[in-house]
Amino acid sequence: MSESAASRRLGAVQSHMQVAPCAAEEEPKLKSPVESMSEERQKATFNVRELTYFLDGGEKFTKVREKFMMELERDPTFRMNDIYDLTKDEIRVRTLEKFRTIVHYVSSEPVPIFTLRMQTISLIDPGFWTRFGVHYGLFFGALRGSATSSQFSHWVATKGALAMSGMIGCFAMTELGHGSNVAGLETTATFDEAADQFIIHTPTVTATKWWIGGAAHTATHCVVFAQLIVRGKRYGVKSFIVQLRDTTTYNLMPGVNIGDIGKKMGRDGIDNGWIQFTSVRIPRTNMLMKHTKVSRAGDVKEPPMAQLTYGALIQGRVAMVVDSGNVAKKAVAIAGRYAAVRRQFSSNPHDAQETKLIDYAIHQYRLMPLLAMAYAFHFTGVETNKLYEELMDKLESTQPDDPTMGEVIETLKETHATSAGLKAFCTWGTLNAIEACRQTLGGHGYSAYTGLASTYNDFAVHCTWEGDNTILTLQLGRYLVNCYREALSGKSQPEGVDYLNHLDTLLAQGCAVKTNEGILDFDIIQQAWGVVTANVVKKAGDDFSESLKQGMNPEAAYEECSQARLAAAKIHSFGYVFRRFAQAVRSAPEGLRPILTKVCLLYGLYSIEQNAGFFLQYRYFTPSQMDYVRAQVNVLCRDVRQEYIPLIDAFNYSDYVINSPLGVYDGNIYEKYFDQVKRQNPVGRPHPYLPLIQTLLGRNIEDDEPLEDDDDDDE
């Protein structure tokens, strides 16, 4: 064979042995977390910015919020990147550093704008929001709501309450032995006619003022709630201004004893303290006398309508309904963005890349109803705040002898009861949502840096302060029982309980849709809640009446039907929140209605599914219709999942506000999480307990007891 022939043959053999490139064997390109997040944003069928404007109440307010977020992020006193590693004392120092910045805005911004500023701050630093709010929301709010015009002028213009110049206030209602039962407070304010003074006194250890925010180290003055005693007669709990500390030396005033109650579950920026008063004398004019008045001669004049004092309580409860929506949105944003980029296992064996968490049906069922709830709470907060502001305008412009005062009082009673129920309903719902979101993060949810552990700890207090949630829910239940009894007597009921005006037709009504698809209608869902709520309220009302027939006094009868009242209030709140959400969707711009309709239907049907027993018990839905409801919840979870990242983006929370590497906007969660861990825990620090380890490992082994042989080895 010639040399050329041999070369040709060798080349042919080599070509046969060479593997041809195949597309199937190419290394597949895996999507990065950033690319995974980007593809989610491309699914939006609506204008995200338009939805943000709608949520914020208009473009103007969106730009104001964005301005606040930028200002706070650039303010070094509001740095939050290291907050998870600070001690209690370090957090308190940093909290007080922020006061000087924010005090400036109190007098320079209109109240609605400053309220937006504080709502933004509550998402960033709830501890500061509370500590600052103790002075402006509680102390100053008590002055505004309970002081006469001359008293208000004295404390604001002369003493500097508004500018926080010369005084810092706190609010002493709760005692060691009394919280929700304000009428049972033990602290006394006894009038001394000869000296024209009140004597503030703590008679027992259980009368010690407790949980008083700002008292431990900060406050100079306090609104103290105490039993008014004049000439030996008690007139109930009233409010008094008491100076706690000398404003120059900061020494405690004579007869005042104060201490720190110590470490708490969350909100360590607040220096909660205890206060005891030992026969502390204050001028008579330090009693806030807008409602109850005590003259120089010791004459007591009570207000013609005690209900007028409800307004101050409503404000705090409405603020917590609003905060519930805001915090729920933050929690869902963290969990939702993580689910869009976190991949785990594979639901399709032919996929080269693991499956996103959010593409698992069970994960959609865990998260999408929480997203719907966050939207529902947001719109409920907006509407409740609007109703509160309208009510306060009416109260301030209506005189006791005004012919419309009766109508205003009825509105006040309804708003008071509704806000009590919503405060409980929304804070319970949000606290549960935070924990549910934390668990969707898997093991990473246990890290402080992911943000949800501290969010839970900080938010939990909402369920017990300014009214224990169970007590507030029972208050709403009591109101509903009274409304039911009034409806039976023929009295027309207000819009919030309008279903009680139709008891004759509503109680036995069932779902009359021709096909199951007809259930997917706001009016049908609203009717469903109306029917079930009317029946549950009727049950509570009938239980109450039966107890009265058995000879119980009204208070004992209310206690006997407490479980029925609790159930009635919860079901009423579910229906109320759905109505507010549906009302908001109907008023939304046309381009937003399709997606918001899906979210609202999901909230309505999921809530029905979670309370299916009531809808079956009172026969509004048949079992087959309830099966359809359950199936549609899954369908809506899939539908909302397609656009859930744009729905989260519409919240318009910056990464600074989110303050969690797992909730960052761009989806680059792993690098940012790792960077934060390394930044806060740098490699190379001195070993914190090296001597202990060396002692442990260097001990003489002979000092240890020998191991016994296993008996099984001998057999």
Side-chain angles (χ1 to χ4, degrees):
M1 182 182 296
S2 67
E3 183 176 345
S4 59
S7 297
R8 287 195 300 273
R9 183 172 178 78
L10 179 60
V13 171
Q14 289 176 334
S15 66
H16 284 298
M17 295 179 64
Q18 189 172 8
V19 178
C22 176
E25 296 178 4
E26 288 182 356
E27 187 70 24
K29 186 179 185 305
L30 304 182
K31 292 176 182 176
S32 70
V34 173
E35 291 170 330
S36 295
M37 184 67 78
S38 179
E39 73 175 0
E40 293 294 337
R41 294 199 164 97
Q42 295 170 13
K43 297 176 181 178
T45 61
F46 62 93
N47 186 316
V48 174
R49 190 66 172 174
E50 185 181 21
L51 180 52
T52 298
Y53 292 158
F54 182 61
L55 291 172
D56 288 344
E59 180 179 358
K60 169 190 172 183
F61 293 109
T62 294
K63 291 184 175 179
V64 168
R65 290 181 190 275
E66 290 173 340
K67 172 177 173 287
F68 291 160
M69 288 189 288
M70 181 181 294
E71 287 177 352
L72 293 166
E73 184 173 3
R74 293 177 176 179
D75 186 339
T77 64
F78 273 89
R79 63 193 182 280
M80 301 301 294
N81 60 305
D82 60 348
I83 194 69
Y84 303 119
D85 290 293
L86 298 182
T87 66
K88 172 170 67 71
D89 290 340
E90 288 172 335
I91 291 174
R92 287 185 176 180
V93 169
R94 181 141 342 149
T95 299
L96 201 59
E97 288 175 347
K98 300 169 184 174
F99 268 69
R100 185 179 295 273
T101 300
I102 303 304
V103 163
H104 163 74
Y105 297 109
V106 174
S107 55
S108 64
E109 289 182 339
V111 172
I113 299 301
F114 183 72
T115 300
L116 288 178
R117 181 182 292 277
M118 292 305 293
Q119 287 178 8
T120 305
I121 289 174
S122 74
L123 286 167
I124 297 166
D125 188 347
F128 171 77
W129 176 75
T130 303
R131 192 168 179 183
F132 196 80
V134 164
H135 177 90
Y136 283 105
L138 297 179
F139 179 80
F140 187 79
L143 290 176
R144 192 171 69 173
S146 301
T148 64
S149 57
S150 60
Q151 287 179 321
F152 186 76
S153 177
H154 169 75
W155 291 107
V156 172
T158 306
K159 294 294 187 178
L162 177 62
M164 203 182 281
S165 175
M167 69 183 306
I168 298 176
C170 64
F171 187 85
M173 178 182 284
T174 301
E175 295 176 354
L176 182 58
H178 287 88
S180 297
N181 182 19
V182 175
L185 295 179
E186 298 178 77
T187 302
T188 57
T190 305
F191 184 54
D192 181 346
E193 292 183 52
D196 195 28
Q197 294 175 330
F198 284 106
I199 303 171
I200 309 298
H201 186 63
T202 304
T204 65
V205 65
T206 52
T208 304
K209 294 299 182 182
W210 204 263
W211 285 112
I212 312 306
H217 306 291
T218 309
T220 61
H221 291 71
C222 186
V223 173
V224 177
F225 286 77
Q227 297 283 353
L228 172 63
I229 303 174
V230 179
R231 297 172 185 165
K233 180 180 178 180
R234 289 180 176 250
Y235 290 88
V237 174
K238 313 300 176 187
S239 50
F240 305 80
I241 303 293
V242 181
Q243 186 169 350
L244 304 177
R245 293 179 170 91
D246 185 287
T247 56
T248 302
T249 65
Y250 243 69
N251 293 330
L252 294 176
M253 300 300 287
V256 177
N257 291 297
I258 295 178
D260 193 325
I261 68 168
K263 179 72 174 175
K264 307 182 295 292
M265 183 175 175
R267 301 195 188 223
D268 281 330
I270 315 162
D271 54 326
N272 294 88
W274 56 263
I275 310 173
Q276 289 183 334
F277 303 100
T278 306
S279 300
V280 176
R281 289 180 172 269
I282 62 172
R284 175 179 56 86
T285 52
N286 276 29
M287 174 182 168
L288 300 180
M289 299 193 195
K290 182 177 182 179
H291 304 295
T292 299
K293 295 176 171 56
V294 178
S295 71
R296 175 67 183 85
D299 297 323
V300 180
K301 184 179 180 181
E302 295 275 41
M305 287 168 287
Q307 298 98 325
L308 294 175
T309 62
Y310 289 172
L313 293 173
I314 296 172
Q315 181 181 18
R317 294 167 183 174
V318 170
M320 280 185 273
V321 174
V322 173
D323 199 46
S324 295
N326 290 336
V327 174
K329 289 186 291 184
K330 180 176 178 177
V332 170
I334 295 171
R337 286 175 175 168
Y338 177 77
V341 299
R342 173 71 170 189
R343 294 177 182 272
Q344 193 163 279
F345 306 112
S346 180
S347 59
N348 186 341
H350 300 293
D351 287 344
Q353 193 165 14
E354 292 178 286
T355 302
K356 290 180 179 181
L357 285 184
I358 199 58
D359 283 331
Y360 287 102
I362 192 62
H363 210 80
Q364 294 168 12
Y365 188 79
R366 294 173 76 183
L367 271 184
M368 295 306 101
L370 298 181
L371 175 62
M373 186 203 75
Y375 267 88
F377 285 4
H378 169 88
F379 289 120
T380 299
V382 169
E383 186 62 25
T384 305
N385 190 61
K386 185 189 303 180
L387 293 174
Y388 166 74
E389 291 176 351
E390 292 173 354
L391 171 65
M392 296 310 292
D393 287 342
K394 290 180 181 178
L395 284 174
E396 292 176 5
S397 62
T398 306
Q399 299 302 316
D401 57 352
D402 194 302
T404 63
M405 178 54 81
E407 180 182 337
V408 173
I409 291 297
E410 288 300 314
T411 303
L412 175 60
K413 288 161 60 177
E414 180 193 6
T415 307
H416 177 259
T418 300
S419 65
L422 287 177
K423 181 267 185 183
F425 183 81
C426 293
T427 56
W428 265 331
T430 294
L431 187 68
N432 291 335
I434 295 168
E435 174 60 12
C437 286
R438 188 193 68 80
Q439 291 189 29
T440 68
L441 302 180
H444 293 318
Y446 200 63
S447 170
Y449 300 131
T450 57
L452 289 177
S454 62
T455 299
Y456 184 94
N457 289 343
D458 286 338
F459 192 84
V461 70
H462 275 343
C463 296
T464 47
W465 68 3
E466 293 204 36
D468 173 83
N469 276 4
T470 298
I471 300 299
L472 293 182
T473 306
L474 287 173
Q475 284 182 11
L476 173 57
R478 184 177 185 137
Y479 170 77
L480 294 173
V481 167
N482 290 337
C483 289
Y484 169 70
R485 290 167 63 83
E486 289 179 349
L488 290 181
S489 67
K491 182 179 178 180
S492 179
Q493 296 303 301
E495 185 268 340
V497 289
D498 180 65
Y499 52 84
L500 295 178
N501 293 322
H502 311 285
L503 291 174
D504 53 340
T505 59
L506 211 57
L507 290 174
Q509 188 168 345
C511 184
V513 295
K514 295 181 179 179
T515 63
N516 284 341
E517 287 74 15
I519 295 173
L520 304 179
D521 182 275
F522 286 175
D523 290 335
I524 293 298
I525 297 174
Q526 186 167 321
Q527 182 188 79
W529 283 111
V531 169
V532 170
T533 308
N535 276 281
V536 177
V537 171
K538 177 182 183 297
K539 174 68 166 61
D542 291 348
D543 286 355
F544 176 75
S545 297
E546 183 61 30
S547 296
L548 291 178
K549 290 178 182 178
Q550 294 175 8
M552 294 184 186
N553 63 53
E555 289 306 315
Y558 277 122
E559 178 58 29
E560 186 67 18
C561 70
S562 58
Q563 292 186 11
R565 282 193 290 145
L566 198 72
K570 287 184 176 181
I571 295 299
H572 168 86
S573 296
F574 269 115
Y576 186 93
V577 171
F578 175 78
R579 289 199 306 275
R580 294 306 179 200
F581 194 177
Q583 178 183 348
V585 175
R586 290 186 176 108
S587 67
E590 185 175 350
L592 301 177
R593 281 182 217 151
I595 185 61
L596 288 179
T597 296
K598 291 179 182 178
V599 178
C600 188
L601 286 174
L602 175 57
Y603 177 76
L605 295 184
Y606 180 80
S607 300
I608 289 172
E609 181 189 22
Q610 296 302 298
N611 295 279
F614 289 109
F615 291 87
L616 293 171
Q617 177 184 353
Y618 295 114
R619 294 187 175 90
Y620 184 81
F621 286 129
T622 65
S624 64
Q625 287 174 330
M626 188 55 66
D627 286 341
Y628 178 79
V629 168
R630 291 193 178 96
Q632 284 306 302
V633 168
N634 292 330
V635 171
L636 287 165
C637 281
R638 288 196 297 270
D639 288 348
V640 173
R641 175 265 172 271
Q642 294 305 312
E643 302 182 74
Y644 88 103
I645 286 297
L647 284 166
I648 287 173
D649 289 346
F651 299 155
N652 200 31
Y653 290 165
S654 67
D655 283 352
Y656 166 72
V657 172
I658 294 291
N659 198 23
S660 168
L662 300 193
V664 291
Y665 180 85
D666 66 4
N668 194 17
I669 63 172
Y670 297 113
E671 290 190 14
K672 292 183 178 178
Y673 183 21
F674 196 20
D675 286 346
Q676 181 162 2
V677 168
K678 290 187 293 183
R679 183 173 61 251
Q680 297 303 123
N681 307 273
V683 176
R685 280 180 175 174
H687 198 294
Y689 40 85
L690 181 60
L692 294 175
I693 292 181
Q694 291 173 328
T695 301
L696 175 67
L697 298 181
R699 73 192 188 285
N700 191 335
I701 194 66
E702 294 178 358
D703 294 338
D704 289 344
E705 291 289 332
L707 293 174
E708 294 290 338
D709 289 338
D710 195 329
D711 292 341
D712 293 341
D713 293 342
D714 297 333
E715 296 179 359

